[in-house]
C-alpha cells in the first residue's frame, strides 16, 4: 500500500515538475540557494544539509543548555523553587530565541543579497524563452517566500520543539504547554519572516530608486551596516527585557528594537497583563504586514527597473582610484613593497578586498563585531567609573587590541575565500612555487590595514590623556599586532584569493577554540598589566615584555620546524591522503 | 515567406549617439543571412532587438508580417537563439540545463529526454552530461548553447558567434548544420567574424559600421563591388579598418620599446 502511495506521489511530482511555471519556480529556488552572477565553481560551497544543520544548531543547543542549567528539576530543587510563573521566568529566554530567529533569518538574506533578485545571467538565459515576464517575476517571488519560510522553520525547529518542553516541565496542564508552544512558535516565525523581509525591502528600495552603478557601489556598505545592526541586536538578547522594564514609564514602540515587539506579542498572546505589551504587539503585527508589503512592492519595482533593463546596463569599475590612493600606493612602492611581485600582488589583493562584495563583507563583518564588543565594553566601563582618571582604564586600553584582533582576523579569513579560480592561471604561470613572498605580501597587506587603526588610536589617546601614554600604548599595540599577524600567517602559503577554499580538517575545531582563547589573552590579559605598568613601570612592564618574548619564541620555533614542502606555494588546498604510499622500489 | 524583417531599426542608449541607425533588412525562410561588422558596430544590439530582449528606440521587428511585440511569447516559441556569451548556470549539469530549457519551452518530457540524449551524443558531450557546467570548457558551453537553441526545432535561428570556442571538428559540424538547416527551409541569421565560413554558407550578407548598414547583398556581389577576391578583403575594404599589416608592425615596434 505504501509503495502504491509512493508511486502515486512520484507520478504527481513528475507531472508537476513538467509544468513550465513549476520548473521555473524550482530553478529560481536553486538560483537563490546556489549563487548569484558572481558565484563560480570552486568557490566556497556548503551543501544544503550542512546549512540547515548550522542554522538549526544554535537554538537547539541553547534549549538544551537551558534544560541543564536553568530549568532542570535538580536546579529548582536545590534553589527550593517548586512553584514559579513560567511566563515570567522564561521571558528573557523567549526574547533570546526571538532575537536569534530575527538575526539569523536577516543574516541569510544579507548573505544571499545578490541572488535574491534575478540578475543579468538569469536575463540572458530566460528572457529569450517563451515565458511571460510576469511569470519569471512571480516564480522568483514565490521562491523567495518559500526560502524565507523554510529558513524560518529551520532556524526555530529544534528550539521550538525543545524549549516549551524544557520550560513547562512544571506546567499544570497539557493545554498550558500547547499555548506556550504555539505562542512561542508564532513569535519566532514572525520575527524571522520580519527580519528576512526587512532586508529584502531594503534591497528592493535601493535597486528601485538608485541608478544601477550607485546601487552596486553602495551595496557592500549597506550590507555591512546591516550586519553591524544585527550584531547590535544580537547583543541586546540578554539586556533588552531589563530595558523594557526601564522604559515602562514612557511606552513607545519606536524606543525598542523590533525584536522586543515580538517578545511583547508573545507575552500578550499568552495573556500576560502588562500595559507595555499591547502597543508593542500591535507594532509587531503591523510591522510584519507593512514590511511584507513594502518588500513585495519594492521587489516588483526593482524587477521592472533592473531586470527588464538588464540588456541596457553595464558594470563599470572605478578607473584607477583617486589622487590620494595613487599617492599612497606610490609611497608604499618606495617603502613597504620591495619586489615587483609584492607591488602587483598588493594592488590585486587590496582591490579584491574593497571591490569584491564577498571579500569586503568578510573583513568588514568581523571588524563590525569587534566594534560592537569594544563599544559594549566601553559602555560597561562607563557604568563603573574608574577612580584613577589620569591613566586610561584597562577596558579603554583594550579597545584598540579588540579592534586589531577582529580586523586582522577578518582580513586573514578573507584571504581564504577564493575569487573565481579559473582566473588564477596568471599566477600559476607567473609565480615561482618555491617563492617565500606570499607570506610577505599577506603580511604587508595586513600591516597596511592595521596602520590607520594605530594612528587613530595614538591620536585619540594623545588627545584624551597624554602623548607619552599614547606613544607607549601605540608601540605595545603595534608589537602585539605584529605578533598576531605572524601567528595568523604561520602556515600561510597561498596568494590570497587564488587557492581553493580550505577543507574541514580535524584541527579546525581546535583552531576555533584557540582563536577564542586568543581573543581573551590578546585583549583581556595585557591591558590590565599595561595599566599597572603605567603606575608601576618596572614589575608589570617586565611581565609584558617576557610575555611578548615568549610569544615570539614560540613563533620562531614553529617557523624553524616547518619542512620545505609545507612552505611551497599552493593553489589547491586539499587534505593529505589518509594513507601515504611510500615508493620503496629499488632503481638501478 | 519572410520569417524576420527589420524596418528602420534604431537604438539609442543613454548617450545621444545611436548604437544602431535605421537598419532595414528581411530574412526569408530557407535563407542564411550573414551579419557582419567590426567590434562595437551594433551587431549585438541589433540581435537583442531582433530577439525582443531590447526595445528599439525607433522602427519595428516583424515576424511573418506581424510586429513581434504583439505576441512575443509566440514569436519566441519559434525562435532558437545562441547568445554571444555562454553565461550559463555553473551549478547545473549540461543535461540539467537542457532539461530546464526544454521544460520551460513546454517540450513533453519523454521526447525531451530522448532529444537531449541524442543531441548530447552527436555533440560529443555524453561523457560530461552530468558534470557541472562550471567545470566545462568554453567549447563545451558553446555546444550546450547550440543544443538548447535546437531542442524545439525552431523555424527561425539567430546565431551570435556560434563557432566561438569550438574545436575544428565541432566547427565543421556546425557549419554544415547551418547549411543543412537553411536547405530545410529554416531562416537563419548568422553573426560571425569568421568570414570564410560566412562566404561559404550565407546567401545574403549585411555589413554594419558604427550602427549603419554599409553593404547588403549576396557575398559574391559584395566582393565584386569592392573589387576584392575574398569576403575578408572586401570586409576590410568596406569597414576601412586601415592597413592591417602596418598596424601589426606598429604593435611589434611598441612591444620592443623600452
Amino acid at each position: 500500500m505504501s509503495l502504491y502511495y509512493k508511486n502515486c506521489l512520484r507520478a504527481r511530482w513528475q507531472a508537476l515538475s513538467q509544468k513550465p511555471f513549476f520548473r521555473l519556480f524550482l530553478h529560481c529556488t536553486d538560483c537563490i540557494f546556489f549563487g548569484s552572477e558572481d558565484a563560480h565553481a570552486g568557490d566556497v560551497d556548503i551543501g544544503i544539509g550542512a546549512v540547515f544543520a548550522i542554522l538549526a544548531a544554535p537554538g537547539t543547543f541553547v534549549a538544551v543548555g537551558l534544560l541543564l542549567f536553568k530549568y532542570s528539576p535538580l536546579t529548582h530543587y536545590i534553589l527550593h523553587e517548586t512553584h514559579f510563573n513560567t511566563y515570567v521566568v522564561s521571558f528573557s529566554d523567549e526574547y533570546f530565541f526571538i532575537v536569534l530567529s530575527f538575526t539569523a533569518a536577516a543574516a541569510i538574506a544579507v548573505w544571499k543579497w545578490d541572488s535574491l533578485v534575478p540578475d543579468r545571467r538569469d536575463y540572458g538565459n530566460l528572457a529569450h524563452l517563451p515565458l511571460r515576464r510576469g511569470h519569471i517575476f512571480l516564480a522568483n517571488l514565490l521562491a523567495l517566500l518559500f526560502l524565507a519560510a523554510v529558513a524560518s522553520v529551520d532556524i526555530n525547529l529544534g528550539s521550538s520543539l525543545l524549549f516549551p518542553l524544557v520550560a513547562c516541565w512544571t506546567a499544570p496542564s497539557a493545554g498550558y504547554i500547547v499555548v506556550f508552544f504555539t505562542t512561542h512558535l508564532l513569535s519566532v516565525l514572525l520575527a524571522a519572516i520580519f527580519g528576512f523581509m526587512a532586508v529584502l525591502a531594503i534591497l528592493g528600495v535601493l535597486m528601485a530608486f538608485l541608478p544601477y552603478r550607485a546601487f552596486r557601489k553602495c551595496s557592500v556598505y549597506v550590507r555591512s551596516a546591516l550586519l553591524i545592526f544585527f550584531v547590535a541586536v544580537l547583543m541586546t538578547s540578554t539586556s533588552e527585557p531589563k530595558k523594557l522594564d526601564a522604559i515602562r514609564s514612557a511606552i513607545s514602540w519606536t524606543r525598542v528594537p523590533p525584536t522586543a515587539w515580538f517578545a511583547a506579542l508573545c507575552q500578550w498572546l499568552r495573556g500576560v497583563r502588562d500595559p507595555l505589551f499591547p502597543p508593542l504587539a500591535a507594532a509587531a503585527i503591523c510591522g510584519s504586514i507593512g514590511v511584507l508589503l513594502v518588500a513585495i512592492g519594492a521587489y516588483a519595482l526593482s524587477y521592472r527597473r533592473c531586470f527588464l533593463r538588464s540588456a541596457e546596463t553595464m558594470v563599470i569599475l572605478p578607473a584607477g582610484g583617486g589622487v590620494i590612493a595613487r599617492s599612497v600606493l606610490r609611497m608604499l612602492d618606495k617603502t613597504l613593497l620591495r619586489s615587483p611581485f609584492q607591488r602587483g600582488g598588493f594592488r590585486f589583493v587590496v582591490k579584491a578586498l574593497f571591490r569584491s562584495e564577498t571579500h569586503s563583507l568578510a573583513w568588514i563583518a568581523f571588524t563590525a563585531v569587534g566594534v560592537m564588543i569594544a563599544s559594549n565594553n566601553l559602555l560597561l566601563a562607563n557604568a563603573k567609573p574608574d577612580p584613577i582618571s589620569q591613566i586610561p582604564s584597562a577596558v579603554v586600553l583594550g579597545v584598540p587590541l579588540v579592534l586589531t584582533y577582529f580586523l586582522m582576523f577578518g582580513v586573514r579569513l578573507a584571504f581564504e575565500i577564493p575569487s573565481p579560480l579559473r582566473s588564477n592561471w596568471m599566477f600559476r604561470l607567473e609565480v615561482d612555487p618555491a617563492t617565500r613572498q606570499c607570506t610577505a605580501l599577506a603580511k604587508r597587506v595586513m600591516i597596511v590595514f592595521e596602520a590607520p587603526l594605530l594612528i587613530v588610536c595614538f591620536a585619540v589617546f594623545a588627545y584624551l590623556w597624554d602623548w607619552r601614554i599614547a606613544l607607549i600604548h601605540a608601540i605595545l599595540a603595534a608589537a602585539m599586532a605584529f605578533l598576531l599577524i605572524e601567528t595568523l600567517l604561520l602556515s600561510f602559503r597561498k596568494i590570497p584569493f587564488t587557492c581553493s577554499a580550505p577543507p574541514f580538517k580535524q584541527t579546525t575545531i581546535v583552531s576555533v577554540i584557540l582563536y577564542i582563547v586568543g581573543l581573551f589573552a590578546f585583549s583581556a590579559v595585557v591591558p590590565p598589566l599595561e595599566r599597572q605598568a603605567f603606575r608601576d613601570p618596572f614589575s608589570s612592564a617586565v611581565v609584558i615584555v617576557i610575555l611578548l618574548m615568549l610569544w615570539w619564541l614560540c613563533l620562531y620555533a614553529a617557523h624553524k620546524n616547518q619542512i620545505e614542502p609545507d612552505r611551497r606555494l599552493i593553489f589547491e588546498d586539499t587534505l593529505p591522503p589518509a594513507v601515504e604510499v611510500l615508493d620503496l622500489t629499488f632503481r638501478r | 515567406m519572410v520569417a524576420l524583417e527589420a524596418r528602420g531599426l534604431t537604438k539609442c542608449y543613454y548617450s545621444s549617439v545611436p548604437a544602431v541607425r535605421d537598419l532595414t533588412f528581411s530574412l526569408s525562410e530557407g535563407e542564411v543571412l550573414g551579419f557582419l561588422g567590426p567590434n562595437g558596430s551594433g551587431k549585438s544590439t541589433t540581435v537583442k532587438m531582433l530577439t525582443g530582449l531590447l526595445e528599439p528606440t525607433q522602427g519595428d521587428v516583424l515576424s511573418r508580417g506581424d510586429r513581434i511585440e504583439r505576441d512575443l511569447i509566440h514569436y519566441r516559441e519559434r525562435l532558437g537563439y545562441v547568445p554571444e556569451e555562454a553565461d550559463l548556470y555553473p551549478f547545473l549539469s549540461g543535461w540539467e540545463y537542457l532539461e530546464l530549457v526544454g521544460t520551460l519551452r513546454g517540450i513533453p518530457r519523454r521526447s525531451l529526454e530522448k532529444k537531449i540524449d541524442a543531441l548530447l551524443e552527436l555533440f560529443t558531450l555524453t561523457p560530461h552530461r552530468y558534470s557541472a557546467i562550471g567545470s566545462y570548457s568554453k567549447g563545451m558551453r558553446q555546444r550546450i548553447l547550440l543544443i538548447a537553441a535546437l531542442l524545439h526545432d525552431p523555424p527561425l535561428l539567430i546565431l551570435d558567434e556560434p563557432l566561438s570556442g569550438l574545436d575544428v571538428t565541432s566547427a565543421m559540424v556546425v557549419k554544415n548544420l547551418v547549411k543543412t538547416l537553411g536547405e530545410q527551409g529554416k531562416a537563419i541569421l548568422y553573426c560571425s567574424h569568421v568570414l570564410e565560413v560566412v562566404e561559404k554558407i550565407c546567401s545574403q550578407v549585411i555589413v554594419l559600421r558604427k550602427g549603419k548598414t554599409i553593404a547588403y547583398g549576396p557575398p559574391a556581389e559584395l566582393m565584386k563591388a569592392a573589387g576584392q577576391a575574398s569576403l575578408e578583403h572586401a570586409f576590410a575594404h568596406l569597414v576601412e579598418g586601415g592597413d592591417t599589416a602596418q598596424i601589426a608592425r606598429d604593435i611589434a615596434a611598441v612591444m620592443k620599446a623600452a
Side-chain angles (χ1 to χ4, degrees), chain A residues 14 17-21 23-24 27 30-31 34-37 39-41 119-133 308-309 311-313 422, chain B residues 11-14 48 51-55 72-74 76-77 79 81 83 87-92 96-97 99-101 103-106 108-109 134-135 141 145:
Chain A
Q14 274 182 354
S17 61
Q18 280 178 41
K19 292 192 172 159
F21 182 76
R23 186 67 187 83
L24 190 61
H27 173 68
D30 274 356
C31 283
F34 289 109
S36 63
E37 205 172 6
H40 297 279
D119 56 24
R120 204 181 295 266
R121 186 172 56 204
D122 294 312
Y123 190 81
N125 281 287
L126 300 175
H128 65 86
L129 296 175
L131 298 166
R132 289 184 192 287
R133 281 170 177 182
L308 296 182
R309 286 196 197 165
E312 297 183 38
T313 50
R422 63 176 182 216
Chain B
K11 179 68 191 176
C12 297
Y13 287 108
Y14 301 110
K48 282 177 187 164
T51 49
L53 294 176
L54 208 59
E55 227 170 274
L72 207 54
I73 305 281
H74 183 61
R76 283 176 178 163
E77 278 170 4
L79 171 71
Y81 171 51
D87 190 7
L88 305 172
Y89 298 102
F91 55 84
L92 294 178
E96 284 168 342
Y97 180 79
E99 183 265 338
L100 168 73
V101 172
T103 310
L104 295 181
R105 285 195 174 277
R109 176 55 55 110
S135 63
R141 285 169 194 237
L145 276 181

Side-chain angles (χ1 to χ4, degrees), chain A residues 264-304:
Chain A
L265 174 71
C266 180
Q267 295 299 87
W268 180 68
L269 286 173
R270 285 171 184 170
V272 178
R273 284 164 189 264
D274 191 314
L276 185 67
F277 294 146
L280 294 183
I285 294 165
C286 297
S288 301
I289 295 168
V291 152
L292 189 70
L293 292 178
V294 171
I296 294 174
Y299 170 69
L301 267 178
S302 67
Y303 177 85
R304 198 178 163 73

Side-chain angles (χ1 to χ4, degrees), chain A residues 497-570:
Chain A
F497 326 126
T498 63
C499 182
S500 59
F504 185 84
K505 294 170 189 162
Q506 285 173 338
T507 52
T508 306
I509 295 169
V510 180
S511 305
V512 171
I513 294 167
L514 276 178
Y515 286 131
I516 294 167
V517 174
L519 170 66
F520 175 74
F522 193 81
S523 58
V525 172
V526 176
L529 283 171
E530 189 190 358
R531 189 165 190 277
Q532 192 64 27
F534 283 123
R535 290 156 66 188
D536 176 16
F538 294 103
S539 58
S540 302
V542 168
V543 175
I544 293 174
V545 172
I546 289 172
L547 281 175
L548 296 185
M549 286 291 284
L550 275 174
W551 189 1
W552 184 79
L553 279 172
C554 290
L555 286 172
Y556 180 76
H559 271 299
K560 273 272 175 201
N561 285 334
Q562 268 183 343
I563 51 170
E564 187 52 35
D566 287 345
R567 290 178 180 173
R568 286 181 77 83
L569 175 63
I570 54 166

